[in-house]
Amino acid sequence: MTDEYEHYEAIVVGCGPGGAAAAARLADHGVETLVLERGTEAGSKNVSGGLIYGEESAPYTLADLFDGFREEATERPVTDYYIHNVAGNKVKTYDLTDLHEHDTDWCDAVLRREMDSWLERRVHEKTSETGGGVLTNVRVNGLLEDDGEIVGVTCDELEPITADLIVAADGVNSELAREAGLMDWEEPEEWFQGVKAVVDVDPDAIDDRFDIGPDEGAAHLFSGDLFDDVRGGGFLYTNEDSLSIGTVFHLDSLLEREAEPHELLDALLTHPLLAGWFGNEYDEREYAAKLVPDSKKAAHREPYRDRLVLVGDAAGQMQAQGPIIKGMNHAVTAGALAADAFAVTRGNADPAAAGRRYTKLLEDSGTMAKLRPRRYDLARTVGERDAVTGAIERVLDSPLGSLAVGNPIADRLLERAYNSPLLVSMLPDTKTGYVSLPTLIAEQHGKTIHWESEIEPPTLEERIGDLTYDTDVGNPHIELLDQSLDASGAAVTACPVSAEDFGGGCYRSEAVKTNGTEETLVSLDTQPCVECGTCAVVADTEWEHPRGGKGVEYREG
């Protein structure tokens, strides 16, 4: 049956860092490789915070795989790293240089449209030499199977294509991973949601306000009472001529608090701590959002089935452990290792040979130990019990807690704890670490900021209006299956482009009278969708990506 279809040795779906690394290494091994990218160009669908690391212990980095990568595709190298504990207008800052430099060869801030489009050009050059190349505006919509065995992919824009290896690097919303039964969207606690603004700032102003040189960069993290008790925090990274500022929260906590993502972002943007960095001028280039897998819970231990292997977000390979936020570097390692695994098993009659080898390489390289640290699994069995969390919260809220945290020795110990990779990787996912303890630290040790912020961020309507869309009229990529508030109402507040009392977003709720009774129902409009996938987890929907080149197009990412 499959002989009639076009065949490549390898197909890579997605040309982000993981897909680019896989394709580059496959080409290095002389493998005929076709890369399929659904955006108008790579990066037009991608969002990251974002910092990309070159770890000393990693077998591969993008700088290893692509000459000139750091010079041509990234923003600023991160030389300064801080965390700010916030309680109202009081702020206590700790220097996280030791944590940042642990196992770090280099770390750069990036914007995904710039970086990924650069990678796409290099990947096309490499793969063209082995009989393949990169095709954009192509959405891979499913897996091609023969007698229950995965043999290729199906596309909206092309006939099915078969391959000996299929690399799913199609992101956190991977349709291939879900169809293969390797990912589900059933548990909100396995996901974070990130919301981000890119803010225009002159390069000289960045140097001056952050006290850095033209070839230096800063990373700042934020936790405490800023975010309505939602578990998570904020970040700010310096780019060449802009700032990336955003928030990342546990999705289950967003749902529990019924918090609206754009409002939480605005709480950070308007805090007086940031006013000096903005110079009380605010020019937002772009608003964006995405889901983020929590690798501690979601990283797949065996990310393959038959000829299909998963890399990056599609495999849940996003390390978020307190101030440690690393994802793209692990996607690069995974993509390159998947390619090496195929090179070793090339020609093996067993369709799963490359997948098994890839899984072993992930373990042997230490990658899985970083993504799913055993010490966290041990710590969470106790630390995430309601009774334990409640007891700790009561202590922190008592005079004893203030006494324990408020002395100079505790201050020094806390800074050391923040800089300990061991302790950070054990941090339970509770309110204590994200909200209560940082707030108490700021109350006891923080300095009061005496000025106010004059920043007025754009409205949600203005943010949606400033985004670029190619709306696929007549082909909605999300179907609302249940309009009831119980089944789908969480999307109204959790969706980054929806909100209560806002009629222009994706999800809206309204009171409808039927036969003399009033019921609150949810409606859907996919036009302003930013394709983050949040609603697929929190609402009763049928979700897929738009067709190739359709939907939102990010200019910054």
Side-chain angles (χ1 to χ4, degrees), residues 4-28:
E4 62 192 83
Y5 299 131
E6 188 173 7
H7 180 85
Y8 286 84
E9 279 191 277
I11 293 172
V12 177
V13 183
C15 199
R25 280 301 289 160
L26 286 165
D28 289 343

Side-chain angles (χ1 to χ4, degrees), residues 434-494:
Y434 290 105
V435 181
S436 306
L437 182 58
T439 301
L440 183 57
I441 290 170
E443 289 172 346
Q444 295 297 316
H445 300 288
K447 294 182 178 180
T448 301
I449 298 175
H450 294 286
W451 59 85
E452 297 297 325
S453 173
E454 299 177 9
I455 299 302
E456 294 185 11
T459 65
L460 190 54
E461 184 175 20
E462 289 169 332
R463 284 169 163 157
I464 294 171
D466 286 341
L467 287 168
T468 299
Y469 294 94
D470 185 351
T471 305
D472 198 3
V473 178
N475 292 289
H477 66 283
I478 308 173
E479 180 185 356
L480 181 58
L481 301 179
D482 189 333
Q483 288 186 281
S484 70
L485 199 64
D486 287 343
S488 302
V492 178
T493 53

Side-chain angles (χ1 to χ4, degrees), residues 199 201 209 243 245 269 274-282 455:
V199 183
V201 182
R209 295 169 189 172
L243 304 176
I245 307 173
L269 292 171
L274 276 67
W277 293 329
F278 290 144
N280 274 322
E281 297 176 0
Y282 188 84
I455 299 302

Side-chain angles (χ1 to χ4, degrees), residues 224-232 249 253-254 256-257 259 264 393 430-432 434-436 439:
D225 70 355
L226 267 168
F227 306 117
D228 192 31
D229 285 351
V230 184
R231 298 194 328 275
F249 297 107
S253 186
L254 273 173
E256 180 184 346
R257 299 293 301 175
L264 297 176
E393 290 288 317
T430 66
K431 176 185 172 184
T432 303
Y434 290 105
V435 181
S436 306
T439 301

Side-chain angles (χ1 to χ4, degrees), residues 398-436:
S398 70
L400 177 62
S402 298
L403 180 65
V405 172
N407 63 81
I409 295 175
D411 186 28
R412 291 193 294 273
L413 291 175
L414 285 164
E415 185 163 19
R416 289 175 60 184
Y418 270 113
N419 278 283
S420 168
L422 175 68
L423 293 177
V424 165
S425 66
M426 295 172 61
L427 186 68
D429 285 334
T430 66
K431 176 185 172 184
T432 303
Y434 290 105
V435 181
S436 306

Side-chain angles (χ1 to χ4, degrees), residues 63-99:
D64 299 327
L65 297 171
F66 297 95
D67 291 339
F69 168 74
R70 296 188 66 201
E71 295 78 12
E72 299 177 38
T74 70
E75 297 293 315
R76 291 175 182 250
V78 174
T79 53
D80 299 354
Y81 203 88
Y82 303 95
I83 189 166
H84 306 278
N85 299 283
V86 180
N89 279 21
K90 297 188 72 173
V91 178
K92 174 61 180 178
T93 300
Y94 289 128
D95 188 328
L96 297 185
T97 298
D98 289 347
L99 180 68

Side-chain angles (χ1 to χ4, degrees), residues 52-213:
I52 186 163
Y53 282 80
E55 289 187 319
E56 294 172 351
S57 63
Y60 293 101
T61 73
L62 283 180
D64 299 327
L65 297 171
F66 297 95
D67 291 339
F69 168 74
R70 296 188 66 201
E71 295 78 12
E72 299 177 38
T74 70
E75 297 293 315
R76 291 175 182 250
V78 174
T79 53
D80 299 354
Y81 203 88
Y82 303 95
I83 189 166
H84 306 278
N85 299 283
V86 180
N89 279 21
K90 297 188 72 173
V91 178
K92 174 61 180 178
T93 300
Y94 289 128
D95 188 328
L96 297 185
T97 298
D98 289 347
L99 180 68
H100 173 61
E101 293 183 349
H102 172 74
D103 194 29
T104 299
D105 184 22
W106 54 267
C107 173
D108 292 349
V110 297
L111 293 169
R112 291 296 296 272
R113 182 64 180 262
E114 177 70 20
M115 181 181 78
D116 291 7
S117 61
W118 185 91
L119 289 171
E120 179 202 312
R121 294 190 292 273
R122 302 291 85 77
V123 167
H124 186 67
E125 292 169 3
K126 278 179 168 280
T127 53
S128 294
E129 294 175 359
T130 60
V134 179
L135 291 179
T136 59
N137 292 302
V138 175
R139 175 196 165 221
V140 174
N141 60 23
L143 296 165
L144 181 67
E145 297 191 20
D146 187 4
D147 289 333
E149 184 179 299
I150 298 170
V151 296
V153 298
T154 58
C155 312
D156 285 341
E157 296 78 16
L158 304 172
E159 290 295 312
I161 307 169
T162 62
D164 301 322
L165 175 74
I166 302 152
V167 179
D170 51 340
V172 69
N173 305 326
S174 173
E175 288 165 287
L176 300 188
R178 284 182 283 136
E179 185 172 334
L182 299 174
M183 176 198 287
D184 65 59
W185 282 349
E186 299 300 322
E187 305 296 337
E189 60 266 26
E190 294 182 354
W191 305 93
F192 299 93
Q193 184 201 73
V195 174
K196 171 185 169 183
V198 177
V199 183
D200 188 72
V201 182
D202 182 83
D204 290 338
I206 293 176
D207 298 345
D208 179 58
R209 295 169 189 172
F210 289 89
D211 193 24
I212 54 179

